[in-house]
Amino acid sequence: MTPSTSDTICALATPPGVAGLAIIRVSGPRSFAICDAFFKGSVSAENAHDHTIHFGWWGEGEERVDSVTLMIYRTPRSYTGEDVVEIGCHGGLFVSDRIISDILVGGARLADPGEFTRRAFLNRKLDLVQVEAVADMIHAESHRGAQVAARQLAGGFTHRLTSFRTALLEIVGLLELELDFSEEDVEFVPRDSLRARLLAVDHEIRQTASSAQAASVLRSGFHIAVVGFPNAGKSSLFNALLLRDRAIVSDIPGTTRDYIRESLLMDGYTVHLADTAGLRETADTIELEGIAITRSLIEQADLVIVLNDISLGLHHSDPLVQDVQRRYPDTPIRLVHNKIDVVDTANAPFHPVLACSAKTGAGIDSLRQAILSVVRSSTTNVTDVLVNARQATLLLAISDCLASVIEGLDRHASNDELAVDLRTSVRLLGEITGETWNPDVLDTVFSRFCIGK
Ligand SMILES: Nc1nc2c(ncn2[C@@H]2O[C@H](COP(=O)(O)OP(=O)(O)OP(=O)(O)O)[C@@H](O)[C@H]2O)c(=O)[nH]1
Ligand SMILES: [Mg+2]
């Protein structure tokens, strides 16, 4: 869907409901005229200066619906790039509804979700990675996530992509220049220097793509699955970490049948904790394969805690650890011993393994710290960019193109052939920033937005 930018749109920009203030946003060529039909202040919206605020009354004729402020933004110096009015009125259920219906009667229409930002994109106020940063900021599940999104909105990612683009265009330029002089068989840049430059760009591109997983932690939280044999104390640990009795605990093995997921905030990070059904050992294999839900939880987890009932021995859960390690080699695993209150811990060789008692609370604080340090270290390389799946896919496609250019250089391919792949990489970079875009991509990006943004 490509919205017409010739009509005027309007929506409540603040959450509906009881609140001190509400803000209604109007954008489009008729914004000022429509507001002037209802606004009575010392100056009309049409005549107000750019970037000024005006107090007055809203209502039809002599009627007074509410005292309001009008914030005036004239094209192109506004969020959408169009003429924009932001109306500040009192919160609550009725006033903003009434003002919006007046504006609709005046000839505007209700904005679609994300339509203000879509217009900002179409008017080149924001590029696509900045648009994605806006969505990330609104939905951020961590303080750090919101901070990084803000840096991306400020242009951090755009700047990095521009530097990749400049580097690649420079190389294309040199190759094409050589083509112009092909009769004379000159080489403007030695091939090994070109190769080195391409490798350097490719390295940075891969590194950027590889931060997508960490970015997803900042965007949507860190997932931990607590697994273990029945009765290990998983539900007890789950409750101890949550600081409340959420999961049922009993001495009957197999108490937890499904899984339970709860979220907690740790040092500004959202951590999603899942308590799972105990994994039984059948014959000599672990029933992991059979317990599909636990399996998919492990698959999605950023950290798996294998909880061992130490009263059954220090190595009781080792087969489970090995099994998880073998099936999910990329997922970090921590073995944690539970029920240390029932064993003699005086000379137990715990270090560097973690040990606690979900029952007495001993060791829970250290476990919390250990978890937090995994969460922190999983996101350390994310500074100014929250790479998402769309961007990571495109970055990896660019890297494939560059690999093919390097391979071409090695077999002395023609400049023409090399330039084709390089141009493709530049085009793919443009898809990341939205310089070249198709409506489907835009629809997907904007599907995360709410009305009024
Ligand atoms: N002494 C002691 N008992 C514990 C501790 N943690 C849990 N238990 C007991 O161990 C039993 C099983 O605890 P749960 O938390 O239900 O264990 P679970 O791993 O969730 O068990 P399933 O859901 O059946 O797989 C209960 O009787 C708990 O009270 C602990 O640290 N010390
Ligand atoms: Mg349980």
Side-chain angles (χ1 to χ4, degrees):
M1 181 196 69
T2 313
S4 151
T5 48
S6 64
D7 50 3
T8 298
I9 54 172
C10 122
L12 185 64
T14 44
V18 177
L21 276 181
I23 291 185
I24 296 157
R25 208 182 229 171
V26 192
S27 177
R30 298 202 54 239
S31 298
F32 301 148
I34 292 173
C35 288
D36 280 338
F38 303 95
F39 177 73
K40 282 148 214 94
S42 56
V43 61
S44 67
E46 287 281 15
N47 293 322
H49 288 296
D50 192 10
H51 285 79
T52 52
I53 302 180
H54 304 273
F55 175 81
W57 284 90
W58 187 276
E60 241 179 320
E62 291 307 302
E63 180 200 28
R64 291 187 161 189
V65 172
D66 192 9
S67 60
V68 297
T69 52
L70 251 51
M71 286 162 258
I72 305 292
Y73 305 88
R74 291 188 180 275
T75 179
R77 295 179 59 210
S78 71
Y79 182 68
T80 58
E82 304 172 329
D83 282 344
V84 169
V85 181
E86 284 177 5
I87 305 162
C89 62
H90 287 101
L93 300 173
F94 302 108
V95 175
S96 54
D97 264 9
R98 165 63 201 269
I99 295 179
I100 289 174
S101 61
D102 285 345
I103 295 169
L104 297 182
V105 169
R109 68 167 170 81
L110 268 187
D112 293 327
E115 194 170 358
F116 292 97
T117 309
R118 189 187 277 255
R119 288 187 175 195
F121 169 74
L122 293 173
N123 289 327
R124 295 183 167 270
K125 300 294 289 188
L126 298 173
D127 65 23
L128 210 49
V129 298
Q130 289 172 312
V131 165
E132 288 171 313
V134 170
D136 283 337
M137 242 161 100
I138 297 174
H139 297 284
E141 291 219 19
S142 72
H143 180 54
R144 280 253 345 258
Q147 277 178 334
V148 177
R151 263 176 249 145
Q152 181 164 326
L153 179 60
F157 196 10
T158 306
H159 183 73
R160 197 184 300 184
L161 293 170
T162 309
S163 79
F164 295 155
R165 185 189 152 89
T166 311
L168 294 178
L169 281 177
E170 244 173 56
I171 299 175
V172 181
L174 287 168
L175 289 173
E176 288 180 347
L177 195 62
E178 274 182 19
L179 272 178
D180 292 343
F181 290 85
S182 54
E183 306 288 279
E184 290 140 58
D185 199 22
V186 282
E187 209 179 72
F188 286 98
V189 199
R191 286 299 178 259
D192 44 349
S193 140
L194 271 190
R195 197 176 191 285
R197 282 163 78 169
L198 283 167
L199 278 176
V201 178
D202 184 47
H203 176 73
E204 276 195 62
I205 286 180
R206 283 193 167 275
Q207 234 173 11
T208 308
S210 72
S211 68
Q213 166 127 21
S216 120
V217 168
L218 291 181
R219 188 180 295 113
S220 48
F222 187 88
H223 293 263
I224 301 178
V226 181
V227 304
F229 290 129
N231 252 353
K234 301 176 293 298
S235 300
S236 306
L237 178 68
F238 182 77
N239 290 341
L241 288 171
L242 286 177
L243 297 171
R244 63 194 166 94
D245 286 341
R246 169 69 178 85
I248 298 172
V249 169
S250 90
D251 56 2
I252 306 163
T255 303
T256 309
R257 297 288 167 83
D258 203 339
Y259 71 93
I260 309 173
R261 197 160 18 197
E262 282 292 328
S263 305
L264 63 156
L265 211 59
M266 288 174 98
D267 196 26
Y269 294 93
T270 300
V271 173
H272 306 285
L273 200 60
D275 175 24
T276 65
L279 299 161
R280 288 163 205 270
E281 229 170 342
T282 55
D284 55 354
T285 59
I286 295 160
E287 218 178 43
L288 190 55
E289 199 59 65
I291 304 185
I293 294 175
T294 303
R295 223 175 352 133
S296 82
L297 284 174
I298 295 177
E299 232 157 69
Q300 294 163 21
D302 300 299
L303 171 67
V304 174
I305 291 180
V306 176
L307 196 64
N308 177 52
D309 179 347
I310 195 154
S311 69
L312 300 173
L314 206 54
H315 300 291
H316 179 64
S317 303
D318 286 2
L320 187 51
V321 174
Q322 285 150 15
D323 200 61
V324 175
Q325 231 153 24
R326 190 170 52 78
R327 283 180 214 272
Y328 309 100
D330 297 329
T331 307
I333 304 173
R334 287 283 189 287
L335 177 66
V336 177
H337 295 297
N338 188 31
K339 308 197 186 181
I340 50 166
D341 54 300
V342 294
V343 294
D344 176 18
T345 54
N347 44 19
F350 286 138
H351 288 288
V353 184
L354 288 156
C356 67
S357 165
K359 196 170 190 167
T360 67
I364 295 291
D365 275 346
S366 322
L367 178 59
R368 219 183 272 278
Q369 287 310 316
I371 290 174
L372 196 52
S373 85
V374 179
V375 178
R376 279 207 198 98
S377 70
S378 76
T379 61
T380 41
N381 63 344
V382 181
T383 51
D384 58 352
V385 174
L386 284 180
V387 176
N388 62 28
R390 181 190 78 86
Q391 298 156 351
T393 309
L394 285 166
L395 286 169
L396 291 176
I398 294 170
S399 174
D400 285 347
C401 270
L402 295 184
S404 132
V405 179
I406 292 166
E407 180 265 330
L409 275 178
D410 291 347
R411 64 176 162 77
H412 307 288
S414 72
N415 283 17
D416 260 340
E417 192 185 331
L418 300 174
V420 168
D421 275 329
L422 279 169
R423 289 247 171 241
T424 308
S425 351
V426 172
R427 183 180 53 74
L428 291 171
L429 274 171
E431 278 186 40
I432 300 181
T433 54
E435 210 162 304
T436 47
W437 53 273
N438 71 54
D440 290 346
V441 171
L442 284 200
D443 285 344
T444 315
V445 169
F446 285 102
S447 66
R448 291 186 62 214
F449 279 80
C450 41
I451 291 179
K453 191 60 218 176

